Structures are given as structure tokens and as C-alpha cells.
Amino acid sequence: MESNFKESAQIIKASAKETVKKHKWMPIVGGIILVIAILLIALVAFLRSDSMTSKLVYSFVPEEVYIEELQQTFYSELNEDYDSSESGGDFLDMYKTYSIYKDPVTGEETKNYVEKNEIKYFGENGQVDVNLVFLARAAEKLYTVLNVIKIITAVLIVGLIVLAIYFWYLSYTKREKQAREEKYKNKNQNRHNK
């Protein structure tokens, strides 16, 4: 069993070398795979940093949201004082939301910050947590990005499987060709020996 595995590995290795010689584009594909691997490693290292993780998460938070029930536009900004260890990883502390009040007399604009868990009321029984609206919109964006990543990953996996099948097919045809040549050679030797 082990000798079959070694033999198969050698055949696949030889087939891969032969394919690279025949197809000049193979080193380019290998280079692309290497670059993708390096980017994935860099991404993992990048995400291990708390400040980078919070900036990445904040990048999904929209800059502004119009809340129809309140008939008002709210804005977000990164909370520079955010520390994940102090807040226990609460994403609502990562950004601040505010509305802009424009003084009708002076025209001066001021930011009215919304406190965490502050509920805005409308109508008789309506209520909205503005921070949660921002978080929900960020989750929608994140969900879209994750779906795209899943599709790209699936395409890469299928591509690698197709490449593996192709190499297997090349090794199989090479073995079959060698077996036919050996059979033909033995048959010719038997004819000449008679």
C-alpha cells in the first residue's frame, strides 16, 4: 500500500513537472495561489490586533442612516476612546451616533449625540434604538461580504479540485501509455525471439 502511494506521488510529481514544461501558464497559477496564501496569512495577522478589528468592524457601520419613523437623519463616527478590553467587546461602544441640530435663528449646526441604549420615541407607542439601527445596517453589509467570500472560496476549492483531477488524469494516461508501450515492446520481443 505504501509503495503504491509513493509510486502515485512520484507519478503525480513527474506529471506536474511535465505539465509545467508544456504549459507556461502554470507558474503564473502557482504564483497567484502563493499570493492568495500570503494575503490570507496577512489578513489573519491583521485581524488579531484589537484596534484593526474595531476599525474593520466600524468600516461596515454606515456613515448615515435616515430613520423614517423619526423623520431624521443620524450620523456615526468612530469612538476614538474605544478599548475592547474595557468595554467587553461591545460593538455599540465602538462608534458614536448623533443627529445634527440646525439653529433656525443663527444657522449654527451642533451635534446631538445619542447615548448608548437611548430610546427615541415617536407616535404614541413607537420606539427606536438608533445605535441598534446602525448595528443592524452594519450586519447587513457584513452578511453580503461574507456571502461573496463564501462564493470566492467555493470557486477556489472547485478550481483546486479540477486541477487535482487534471493532474491525476495526466498521471493515469501516462501510466496507461507506459503499460501499452511495455506490452507492445514485450509482444515485439516475443515475435523476434520466435
Side-chain angles (χ1 to χ4, degrees):
M1 176 82 175
E2 190 174 312
S3 64
N4 287 342
F5 178 74
K6 287 182 180 179
E7 182 180 315
S8 295
Q10 289 174 345
I11 291 171
I12 290 173
K13 184 178 177 181
S15 176
K17 284 183 180 180
E18 187 177 310
T19 303
V20 168
K21 285 180 186 176
K22 287 182 181 178
H23 305 285
K24 301 297 182 194
W25 52 268
M26 289 298 287
I28 294 170
V29 171
I32 291 171
I33 291 172
L34 181 65
V35 166
I36 290 171
I38 290 171
L39 287 175
L40 287 174
I41 291 169
L43 179 65
V44 168
F46 173 79
L47 292 177
R48 297 198 67 68
S49 164
D50 275 351
S51 65
M52 292 302 158
T53 303
S54 60
K55 286 181 182 176
L56 178 66
V57 170
Y58 178 71
S59 70
F60 291 103
V61 175
E63 291 179 17
E64 67 180 61
V65 169
Y66 179 75
I67 300 178
E68 194 170 321
E69 295 85 359
L70 300 174
Q71 297 182 356
Q72 195 172 9
T73 301
F74 289 87
Y75 304 89
S76 70
E77 66 184 22
L78 184 63
N79 182 359
E80 298 296 334
D81 299 329
Y82 175 75
D83 183 6
S84 63
S85 60
E86 288 179 13
S87 70
D90 188 353
F91 292 124
L92 292 177
D93 291 336
M94 188 179 303
Y95 59 91
K96 298 176 184 178
T97 55
Y98 61 92
S99 61
I100 296 179
Y101 173 75
K102 187 172 185 177
D103 189 312
V105 177
T106 63
E108 183 178 321
E109 292 183 347
T110 56
K111 293 181 180 180
N112 292 329
Y113 286 95
V114 178
E115 295 296 320
K116 180 180 171 184
N117 300 326
E118 180 181 338
I119 304 295
K120 297 286 185 181
Y121 297 94
F122 63 93
E124 289 192 25
N125 297 323
Q127 55 185 5
V128 173
D129 186 333
V130 176
N131 290 314
L132 287 180
V133 172
F134 275 88
L135 192 61
R137 300 279 170 87
E140 289 172 5
K141 283 184 181 180
L142 182 61
Y143 182 74
T144 303
V145 169
L146 289 176
N147 282 336
V148 169
I149 289 172
K150 285 179 186 177
I151 291 169
I152 290 171
T153 302
V155 168
L156 286 174
I157 289 171
V158 168
L160 289 174
I161 290 171
V162 167
L163 195 58
I165 291 171
Y166 177 70
F167 283 140
W168 173 84
Y169 174 75
L170 288 178
S171 69
Y172 175 77
T173 56
K174 186 175 181 178
R175 278 186 275 158
E176 289 294 313
K177 184 179 177 183
Q178 287 174 345
R180 277 185 298 213
E181 288 175 355
E182 190 68 34
K183 185 178 179 182
Y184 182 72
K185 184 179 174 183
N186 289 339
K187 193 175 187 180
N188 281 341
Q189 284 180 352
N190 288 340
R191 278 189 197 162
H192 292 301
N193 290 340
K194 289 185 178 181

